[in-house]
């Protein structure tokens, strides 16, 4: 019999329905605590990818995520947070999910089983050799993702993946695979749990470190963030007060005039 993938291995716990709510919560938390150490072990792989990704993005390349189900949704979440956080255009980091945007909220049956649709979806964005593609699949065997990665390599597109199993087909097809081995899920096979958490942590690391090195953070501040609500305006005001030593009212005026923390700082320092 073929050995089960790690993500499909039986949970360390059984008779979950007989546990109290407190026992359920504590046991889930016990498993969650294993995720950070698993991510830590993958840092060398993440570092190699990010170093290559930065080189592409410095030349105007874009970052694409592609996945199905939870993995696809996580990519979309990370991509959608880059414009407000770092001030980049919404076509710099792009997340795609099997089944299209309707699959963000509701599962689309068998969408992940199409080996050709992944790259077709990418072609709508004119993906090219300056771009990078990260396939997200906890199992490492999602046909939609594998097909996209295989096709992308033909066109010299940088390829990577985030999986939670060892030596998967997806990892073998990528130049820069990332394997985060979190072990069996609390609910057997429910990769929305530890695997999903691990994938989100790695995605945070990839885009945050890349955007810092691309100049979108100064000190520890998001100076290119979009001032899209009152909370962010107040954060921008605090940045200017701290950086420039001006009053809050003057900081508000600078932001109203320039619409950007970075531009406000440059203008004031001339």
């Amino acid at each position: 019999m073929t050995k089960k993938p790690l993500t499909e291995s039986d949970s360390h716990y059984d008779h979950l329905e007989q546990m109290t709510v407190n026992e359920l919560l504590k046991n889930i938390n016990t498993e969650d605590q294993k995720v950070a150490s698993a991510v830590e072990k993958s840092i060398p792989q993440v570092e190699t990818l990010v170093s290559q990704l930065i080189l592409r993005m410095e030349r105007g390349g874009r970052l694409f995520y592609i996945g199905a189900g939870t993995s696809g949704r996580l990519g979309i979440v990370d991509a959608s947070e880059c414009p407000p956080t770092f001030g980049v255009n919404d076509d710099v980091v792009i997340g795609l999910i099997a089944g299209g945007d309707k699959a963000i909220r509701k599962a689309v049956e068998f969408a992940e089983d199409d080996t050709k649709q992944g790259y077709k979806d990418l072609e709508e964005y004119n993906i090219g050799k300056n771009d990078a593609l990260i396939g997200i699949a906890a199992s490492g065997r999602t046909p939609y993702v594998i097909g996209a990665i295989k096709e992308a390599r033909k066109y010299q597109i940088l390829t990577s993946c985030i999986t939670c199993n060892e030596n998967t087909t997806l990892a073998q097809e990528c130049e820069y695979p990332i394997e985060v081995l979190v072990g069996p899920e609390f609910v057997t096979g429910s990769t929305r749990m530890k695997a999903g958490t691990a994938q989100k942590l790695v995605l945070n690391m990839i885009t945050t470190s890349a955007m810092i090195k691309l100049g979108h953070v100064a000190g520890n501040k998001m100076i290119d963030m979009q001032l899209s609500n009152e909370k962010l305006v107040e954060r921008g005001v605090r940045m200017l007060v701290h950086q420039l030593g001006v009053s809050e009212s003057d900081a508000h005026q600078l932001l109203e005039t320039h619409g950007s923390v970075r531009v406000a700082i440059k203008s004031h320092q001339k």
Side-chain angles (χ1 to χ4, degrees), residues 18 30-31 34 77 109 146 179 229 254 256 261:
Q18 297 175 19
T30 295
E31 289 302 305
K34 301 174 183 179
V77 167
E109 291 186 1
I146 293 170
E179 298 173 325
N229 58 50
L254 283 167
E256 286 181 14
V261 174

Side-chain angles (χ1 to χ4, degrees), residues 180-195:
V180 189
L181 308 180
V182 296
E185 298 287 0
F186 179 70
V187 176
T188 299
S190 182
T191 53
R192 59 180 283 273
M193 300 185 79
K194 289 193 299 183

Side-chain angles (χ1 to χ4, degrees), residues 68 98-99 107-115 117 142-144:
V108 177
E109 291 186 1
F110 303 110
E112 70 172 56
D113 296 327
D114 191 329
T115 59
Q117 188 60 47
T142 307
Y144 175 82

Side-chain angles (χ1 to χ4, degrees), residues 68-70 72-74 76-77 80 96-109:
T70 297
R73 295 182 190 102
L74 289 170
I76 289 169
V77 167
S80 66
L96 300 178
I97 184 171
D101 285 356
K102 61 185 177 182
I104 297 172
R105 293 184 180 275
K106 186 176 181 180
V108 177
E109 291 186 1

Side-chain angles (χ1 to χ4, degrees), residues 138-149:
S139 68
R141 62 183 188 184
T142 307
Y144 175 82
V145 178
I146 293 170
I149 291 288

